[in-house]
């Protein structure tokens, strides 16, 4: 059976990925009535992954060494591929994943300054070098993203007692490096990564996403 379609969304915290994934899923369901796209996220998406997510995002894990952090992201990802992503793609389904290995390259490789090479090597070793068919990279300006992420986390902490602020607490230099690494990935892999830049409205971003997905579906079918 033909492999399904693997779409990932990437971007800084507060880039609006979550809203856009919801809208993309709605569009996919309308366009392919029989199709039920698999939506998942990293870290998380499996029971094991949710435990790892708590461990890496909780502000109490502030002593986590960068190498440990990278290893945990890959532990989460290997489990998600084994349990969710791999089987769904084998069944020919569309999988939409909120963050994938580009996040590790941007945050641990760039932000934590571990470099791209160990990330790509671990990806080959632990993830069978699985590549998305399409990656939508949302890069509104750094200032807008950070402000949105801080407000959202404050709300989540107040309303649900959620504590997922480890990355937002980082200094601006960290986020700049994440941003630069994302741009480097987009320049290196223009065939896979569609860069959606600038402070666009929700509708404008959605339109660009749908355009990119539709184009990929056409090329996958031919
Ligand atoms: P998430 O809730 O996905 O944030 P957002 O909704 O803003 O995307 O939080 C995941 C956090 O984990 C985010 O700050 C990025 C970070 N992260 C890494 O540092 N490396 C990784 O490999 C992944 C998947 C996420």
């Amino acid at each position: 059976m033909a492999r399904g379609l693997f779409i990932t969304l990437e971007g800084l915290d507060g880039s609006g990925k979550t809203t856009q994934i919801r809208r993309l899923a709605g569009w996919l369901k309308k366009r392919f009535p029989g199709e039920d796209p698999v939506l998942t996220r990293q870290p998380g998406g499996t029971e094991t992954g949710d435990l790892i997510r708590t461990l890496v995002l909780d502000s109490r894990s502030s002593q986590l060494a960068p190498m440990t952090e990278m290893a945990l992201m890959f532990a989460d990802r290997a489990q998600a591929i084994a349990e969710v992503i791999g089987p769904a793609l084998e069944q020919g389904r569309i999988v939409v994943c909120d963050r994938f290995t580009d996040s590790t390259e941007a945050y641990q490789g760039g932000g934590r300054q571990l470099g791209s090479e160990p990330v790509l090597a671990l990806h080959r070793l632990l993830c069978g070098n699985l590549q998305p068919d399409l990656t939508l990279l949302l890069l509104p300006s750094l200032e807008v993203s950070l402000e949105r992420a801080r407000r959202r986390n404050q709300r989540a902490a107040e309303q649900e007692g959620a504590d997922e602020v480890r990355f937002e607490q980082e200094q601006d230099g960290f986020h700049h490096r994440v941003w630069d690494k994302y741009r480097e990935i987009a320049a290196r892999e223009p065939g896979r990564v569609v860069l959606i830049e600038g402070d666009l409205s929700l509708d404008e971003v959605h339109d660009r996403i749908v355009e990119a997905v539709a184009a990929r579906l056409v090329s996958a079918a031919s």
Side-chain angles (χ1 to χ4, degrees):
M1 191 187 295
R3 189 185 105 149
L5 194 74
F6 185 28
I7 301 171
T8 59
L9 269 92
E10 292 283 352
L12 292 172
D13 308 75
S15 55
K17 283 182 293 91
T18 311
T19 310
Q20 293 299 340
I21 286 174
R22 218 177 310 124
R23 293 188 64 173
L24 171 61
W27 180 85
L28 285 167
K29 279 187 195 156
K30 234 191 254 159
R31 165 129 185 204
F32 303 100
E35 175 77 51
D36 192 15
V38 176
L39 305 183
T40 184
R41 68 167 180 180
Q42 296 188 350
T46 63
E47 273 183 31
T48 312
D50 284 335
L51 294 171
I52 296 174
R53 181 180 176 91
T54 306
L55 195 60
V56 287
L57 300 189
D58 194 308
S59 63
R60 285 166 296 183
S61 301
S62 59
Q63 298 304 315
L64 218 53
M67 285 294 184
T68 313
E69 188 176 271
M70 177 169 65
L72 286 169
M73 294 298 181
F74 272 108
D76 166 72
R77 187 162 300 125
Q79 187 65 27
I81 291 171
E83 222 178 282
V84 178
I85 300 172
L89 290 177
E90 268 169 40
Q91 288 164 17
R93 297 179 68 184
I94 299 177
V95 177
V96 180
C97 190
D98 185 348
R99 299 191 179 281
F100 194 60
T101 297
D102 294 328
S103 282
T104 316
E105 191 176 345
Y107 283 78
Q108 283 66 52
R112 302 273 189 240
Q113 298 179 286
L114 296 178
S116 292
E117 205 32 61
V119 175
L120 299 178
L122 283 173
H123 187 69
R124 286 191 290 273
L125 185 68
L126 299 175
C127 303
N129 210 27
L130 176 66
Q131 298 296 323
D133 298 294
L134 173 65
T135 296
L136 301 152
L137 172 54
L138 309 190
L139 278 187
S141 70
L142 195 53
E143 295 70 29
V144 167
S145 307
L146 291 182
E147 185 47 38
R148 255 196 248 153
R150 287 196 180 117
R151 258 187 282 133
R152 186 195 55 188
N153 284 318
Q154 210 173 355
R155 259 200 321 273
E158 283 163 10
Q159 290 168 4
E160 306 150 27
D163 179 0
E164 294 195 341
V165 298
R166 259 191 74 235
F167 288 95
E168 282 84 0
Q169 282 174 344
E170 288 296 334
Q171 301 304 309
D172 286 355
F174 175 88
H175 296 287
H176 268 287
R177 290 194 296 276
V178 173
W179 165 277
D180 287 344
K181 187 58 88 177
Y182 265 136
R183 299 213 47 149
E184 190 185 310
I185 296 168
R188 185 182 71 210
E189 295 183 54
R192 169 174 70 86
V193 181
V194 172
L195 179 58
I196 301 174
E197 277 191 289
D199 297 321
L200 306 171
S201 69
L202 286 181
D203 285 344
E204 283 169 324
V205 175
H206 176 68
D207 289 348
R208 300 251 189 118
I209 287 178
V210 158
E211 201 182 303
V213 171
R216 196 51 47 107
L217 285 166
V218 169
S219 70
S222 60

